[in-house]
Amino acid sequence: MLETERLSAAHLGFLFAAVLLGFWSNLWAVPLFDLDEGAFSQATREMLATGQWLITTLNGEPRYDKPILIYWAQAASVSLFGANELGFRFPSALCASAWMFVVFRATFMLTASRNAALLAAGAVALSLMSSVIGHAAIADAMLNLWIALVMLGIYQHWLVPTRGKLLRIYLWMGLGFLTKGPIAVALPVIVSLVFYLSQRQPLRWLAAVFDPYGWLVFLAVVALWMAPLAMTGQTDFFFHFLFEHNLTRYGSTMQGHGGKLWYYVAALPLIVLPFTALLPGTFARLRKPDPLDVFLLLWFAFVFLFFSFSGTQLPHYLLYGCTPLFVLFGRAWNRLPAKFWTLLPALLFALLLASLPWVLPMVPIDSDRPYEAGIVSLAARSFGLDYMILSGAVLIIILVLLFRRRTAAWQALLGAAMALSMLVWFGFIPVLAAAQQLPVREAALRAKELGTSTVSYRTYLPTFSVYRGAITPNRLPEPGELVFVKLDRIPDLQRELGASVTLIPEFKKGGVALLLRQGEARR
């Protein structure tokens, strides 16, 4: 074992500040976002309402998208904190925080460098996409925690094999499977195979992969869900998830999330903002890699290639392969580019965010897309003096870090990343939420206040059901019913109902409206 440096109170303070800014800032103050946060939260709300703990539904219909663990975690959190933003998001923030500390500890142990560990941990907490999923009431922060534990555990087991390490790997793998399915098994098995072959140790790989006690641990974890499903005859839910939402999702485009082979080439620099300038040096390690470099780069390469060929592509899929990049960022803490180039992505991103109050009002609004136009128009009016002051302060901080000679490049980068997190979570995200999600929440609360039977029409924004506290069927409204609808769907709604039917506005803001179909008196 390498002799490691000691951590000071300042280092621990940085870790605490990074995790607060990266994963907990404004967690409870910003409305849930559609679509994914709304879908997960409403499914959890329905689980609590029905007492059905083995399968999930969304607006009363089966939701096969994910296994059960994240819903159990959210249900426990909502039972503790209430059916609010903190309740739904707490498991993600907690898992993301643990993910950061796992990366910190592993990097510290593998490199014997506190600076490397601090930079790696900071990259986990403060990179744009990892910070987003740490704030989001979805399954990905939890999955990234299990993947980090499994994969870093595999390398540590390769260094010093022990029975305890191996069984823990199978435990984390089982929890990953319960969180998001086969990717939690395929990733470690394939990457470890290629790594052990590269080290000319195939027999060691076979011994680890075919360990019977390990698979017993894995099966025991999976059985927490599968055994009750089998006993209640609900195994069709599992197979719908396995085939429809894994094999089908990989082979074809689902929910309009298609992409191209180059999709993640373009997405990666944005996903790791503001640490983008560290990517070239990271991939340059391919020239003379040591075993840790080989393992980490194989891990990233598998995820990158696997999802580049997927029929369904989303930016956060690549995060499953970003933990090794974060560790590699840390390993290069004393070999970063010149400070100007290191901080340039942060400076450009801060300039972009600072310019939005002036740029957004000039965005042309297409009258044929009133939903999007309503959001853009409301966002343009939501920037206040506080946003301008905050963005200006962040720009000044980055410039001071850039020109302060005594601040090393890696320290300046972490400082800039913390400043940007403040601007994103206390400036930009509240404005985005005010334009996109606050109208949905207000419409839901208005419908709840009226107490009238409510439906939606060709509008899939599940946070409406979350905030209304009830299932919202998707169909035409009957006389006397409220209908929640995007503005661009209103002409179609009127056409289907007929010109003689009157729709009375009860709420209209941003890109959505709540309309009452004229008819019998409200109940």
Side-chain angles (χ1 to χ4, degrees):
M1 184 67 65
L2 296 172
E3 183 180 351
T4 55
E5 302 167 340
R6 292 184 178 180
L7 290 174
S8 68
H11 298 132
L12 295 175
F14 164 77
L15 291 173
F16 184 68
V19 83
L20 284 182
L21 282 172
F23 301 130
W24 296 90
S25 50
N26 247 356
L27 192 74
W28 50 87
V30 175
L32 297 167
F33 278 88
D34 288 302
L35 300 170
D36 287 349
E37 275 201 298
F40 276 91
S41 300
Q42 176 60 12
T44 296
R45 198 199 65 78
E46 291 179 31
M47 174 182 284
L48 287 166
T50 62
Q52 173 54 268
W53 293 90
L54 298 179
I55 62 174
T56 51
T57 60
L58 180 58
N59 282 325
E61 299 295 326
R63 185 172 197 257
Y64 301 117
D65 289 48
K66 301 293 180 291
I68 206 69
L69 189 57
I70 184 61
Y71 301 106
W72 286 349
Q74 287 187 343
S77 177
V78 167
S79 299
L80 182 63
F81 297 109
N84 50 44
E85 290 83 3
L86 177 61
F88 290 116
R89 288 171 172 156
F90 182 83
S92 289
L94 185 63
C95 288
S97 302
W99 174 27
M100 188 203 80
F101 282 106
V102 165
V103 170
F104 172 81
R105 182 179 183 278
T107 307
F108 197 30
M109 297 298 292
L110 292 171
T111 65
S113 168
R114 65 190 178 199
N115 293 346
L118 290 169
L119 181 53
V124 175
L126 303 170
S127 288
L128 182 60
M129 187 54 64
S130 55
S131 184
V132 167
I133 65 111
H135 276 79
I138 59 177
D140 289 271
M142 181 178 283
L143 178 63
N144 275 284
L145 169 60
W146 307 136
I147 287 177
L149 285 165
V150 169
M151 299 299 291
L152 293 170
I154 287 172
Y155 186 79
Q156 290 167 332
H157 180 264
W158 176 80
L159 286 174
V160 183
T162 68
R163 168 65 60 185
K165 289 178 185 175
L166 188 60
L167 294 182
R168 284 194 295 272
I169 289 168
Y170 281 94
L171 171 64
W172 308 136
M173 201 159 60
L175 291 170
F177 187 88
L178 282 186
T179 302
K180 211 163 184 180
I183 185 64
V185 178
L187 173 59
V189 169
I190 294 174
V191 172
S192 64
L193 170 60
V194 178
F195 175 70
Y196 273 82
L197 289 175
S198 73
Q199 303 303 307
R200 297 179 175 84
Q201 298 173 336
L203 295 180
R204 283 187 62 190
W205 180 84
L206 288 171
V209 167
F210 290 99
D211 184 272
Y213 296 104
W215 286 110
L216 282 175
V217 170
F218 176 86
L219 292 174
V221 173
V222 174
L224 294 173
W225 180 42
M226 284 299 300
L229 277 180
M231 287 188 291
T232 56
Q234 299 178 96
T235 52
D236 59 326
F237 187 94
F238 174 79
F239 290 107
H240 271 289
F241 153 73
L242 181 63
F243 291 104
E244 181 181 347
H245 285 277
N246 281 276
L247 300 180
T248 302
R249 183 181 292 268
Y250 187 81
S252 59
T253 298
M254 295 187 70
Q255 300 174 336
H257 299 308
K260 305 292 183 183
L261 281 175
W262 46 263
Y263 177 83
Y264 288 112
V265 176
L268 179 59
L270 303 177
I271 289 170
V272 300
L273 268 173
F275 298 87
T276 309
L278 278 58
L279 288 171
T282 296
F283 296 127
R285 299 183 74 93
L286 283 168
R287 290 181 297 208
K288 292 183 179 179
D290 61 20
L292 179 56
D293 291 331
V294 170
F295 180 77
L296 296 172
L297 290 167
L298 283 173
W299 175 0
F300 168 77
F302 172 79
V303 174
F304 182 86
L305 293 173
F306 182 81
F307 287 108
S308 290
F309 286 94
S310 174
T312 302
Q313 295 176 326
L314 287 167
H316 61 265
Y317 290 172
L318 194 58
L319 270 183
Y320 312 152
C322 283
T323 294
L325 292 185
F326 299 147
V327 176
L328 289 167
F329 290 169
R331 294 197 80 189
W333 70 272
N334 58 350
R335 298 187 303 277
L336 300 191
K339 194 191 291 188
F340 173 80
W341 297 111
T342 298
L343 293 188
L344 183 60
L347 182 59
L348 292 176
F349 188 43
L351 285 169
L352 172 64
L353 294 179
S355 69
L356 288 178
W358 293 273
V359 172
L360 205 56
M362 296 187 291
V363 173
I365 300 176
D366 189 345
S367 59
D368 294 332
R369 304 182 68 179
Y371 172 67
E372 290 81 2
I375 292 174
V376 171
S377 177
L378 188 55
R381 301 195 303 271
S382 299
F383 291 103
L385 179 61
D386 54 345
Y387 181 90
M388 299 176 192
I389 293 173
L390 179 59
S391 58
V394 168
L395 280 170
I396 291 172
I397 289 171
I398 295 174
L399 289 173
V400 169
L401 290 168
L402 176 60
F403 291 107
R404 191 171 186 268
R405 292 184 178 181
R406 288 183 296 173
T407 305
W410 71 276
Q411 294 171 320
L413 179 56
L414 288 175
M418 294 178 74
L420 278 174
S421 285
M422 292 180 60
L423 179 54
V424 168
W425 294 109
F426 292 99
F428 175 71
I429 293 297
V431 169
L432 178 62
Q436 179 179 312
Q437 294 304 136
L438 197 57
V440 179
R441 184 172 74 178
E442 291 175 353
L445 295 177
R446 175 61 175 159
K448 186 176 183 179
E449 176 189 359
L450 293 171
T452 304
S453 176
T454 306
V455 301
S456 65
Y457 173 77
R458 295 173 60 186
T459 298
Y460 179 57
L461 297 172
T463 58
F464 180 81
S465 295
V466 177
Y467 287 114
R468 195 168 74 89
I471 290 171
T472 308
N474 185 26
R475 58 173 173 81
L476 288 171
E478 298 293 332
E481 285 188 324
L482 292 166
V483 57
F484 174 66
V485 62
K486 290 181 179 179
L487 297 186
D488 53 2
R489 300 298 187 188
I490 294 177
D492 296 332
L493 172 61
Q494 189 69 70
R495 193 177 304 113
E496 285 201 54
L497 291 175
S500 61
V501 174
T502 301
L503 295 169
I504 302 172
E506 289 285 354
F507 176 89
K508 183 179 179 182
K509 186 176 180 181
V512 298
L514 186 66
L515 309 174
L516 176 68
R517 178 176 174 177
Q518 195 175 45
E520 61 190 33
R522 295 178 195 156
R523 292 193 294 273

